[in-house]
Amino acid sequence: MIVKQLKVGTMQNFVYLLADEASREAIAIDSGWETEPIARAAKGESMRVKYVVATHQHFDHTSTLNRLADELGAKSVVHENSPVEHDIAVKDGDFLRIGQGKVQVIHTPGHTEDSICLYDGENLFTGDTLFIGNCGRTDLPGGSMEKMFRSLHGVILRLPPQTVVYPGHDYGDVPYRKLGEEARLNPVLAAKGYDEFLKVP
Ligand SMILES: [Fe+2]
C-alpha cells in the first residue's frame, strides 16, 4: 500500500491517502479543513479515491468529509455510532476494499464513542485515539478513560510491533513511528495496568 501523509488546517491535523499500488484505488482518511490539498495529492499520484473515512466525529476531522467525497466521486464512511452525515456506516471488523487490498475497521472508543482505527496489515491510522507520545483526550463528551485503556492495551497493542502508527495530529517528536517503539516510548502504552495509565499526565 502507498501512504501519503498531509498536514492541513490550523490544529496540526494529519489527513491521509492510502492506496493500493497496482490499481491506484484509494481511501482518504479524515477531512476537516481545506479539501484542495487532498484532492490535488490524489490527482498527482493518479489515485482514484473510493472512500473518504472519518476516524471520529470531531469537526477538525469531518467538517469537509462529504464535500471531499462529492469532489472525488467517493463515498463518505463513518462508524455506526457517529452523528455525522454519511453514505456508509461501518462497524468493528468491517473491511473496505481498494484494488486487491483490504483495510480493516477497528472500533477504538475512548476519545469518542465512534472512534475507529484503520488497519491494512502494515499501517494503522489512529485518528485521535493514539498520538505519537500520548493518547487523545477523554474529557470531552463521549470520552472514557476506561474505554481508552481497553482500546490501547486490549486492541492496538495486540497488533504486530512493526505496524506503523499514523496519528490524526502532528503532536509528537516524529510524524509516525513503529508501534513496537511507540509502546516503549509513549507513557500511555508503556503503563503497566490501568492504575499506572491513570497517573500518566
Ligand atoms: Fe478529536
Side-chain angles (χ1 to χ4, degrees):
M1 294 271 196
I2 304 167
V3 178
K4 253 197 119 48
Q5 183 182 50
L6 303 166
K7 203 164 153 184
V8 291
T10 58
M11 290 172 68
Q12 297 167 280
N13 281 84
F14 277 138
V15 297
Y16 296 93
L17 288 163
L18 173 66
D20 170 58
E21 212 154 344
S23 67
R24 313 306 283 185
E25 283 189 348
I27 293 175
I29 301 169
D30 284 344
S31 183
W33 304 92
E34 66 275 25
T35 57
E36 204 276 332
I38 308 170
R40 184 166 15 107
K43 200 173 169 203
E45 301 276 339
S46 308
M47 293 175 183
R48 277 178 294 115
V49 178
K50 271 178 83 178
Y51 304 107
V52 181
V53 186
T55 58
H56 65 293
Q57 64 190 264
H58 288 156
F59 76 96
D60 55 320
H61 300 258
T62 58
S63 57
T64 60
L65 194 81
N66 286 288
R67 196 173 90 208
L68 181 66
D70 283 350
E71 285 174 15
L72 296 173
K75 302 277 186 213
S76 63
V77 181
V78 302
H79 184 261
E80 59 184 0
N81 291 344
S82 175
V84 173
E85 192 192 322
H86 59 271
D87 297 314
I88 298 169
V90 289
K91 58 183 187 312
D92 187 62
D94 284 353
F95 286 95
L96 296 167
R97 289 174 193 280
I98 40 172
Q100 297 299 311
K102 53 184 194 170
V103 179
Q104 190 184 345
V105 174
I106 306 178
H107 187 215
T108 53
H111 177 62
T112 60
E113 265 304 316
D114 68 330
S115 288
I116 56 171
C117 294
L118 295 170
Y119 178 56
D120 67 358
E122 290 173 4
N123 307 295
L124 183 72
F125 301 87
T126 55
D128 287 6
T129 299
L130 178 62
F131 300 130
I132 300 303
N134 209 335
C135 65
R137 291 172 64 167
T138 55
D139 59 338
L140 299 168
S144 156
M145 279 296 258
E146 219 177 311
K147 287 182 182 176
M148 179 60 89
F149 179 75
R150 215 180 308 142
S151 290
L152 295 174
H153 284 253
V155 180
I156 290 177
L157 277 178
R158 297 199 173 169
L159 296 173
Q162 66 272 22
T163 305
V164 184
V165 173
Y166 287 100
H169 288 269
D170 185 16
Y171 292 159
D173 55 341
V174 291
Y176 55 87
R177 186 142 59 206
K178 286 203 171 146
L179 180 60
E181 211 181 326
E182 192 60 19
R184 265 190 314 111
L185 297 170
N186 187 332
V188 300
L189 296 181
K192 304 222 175 343
Y194 187 54
D195 289 346
E196 206 178 304
F197 173 73
L198 289 176
K199 288 181 194 137
V200 176

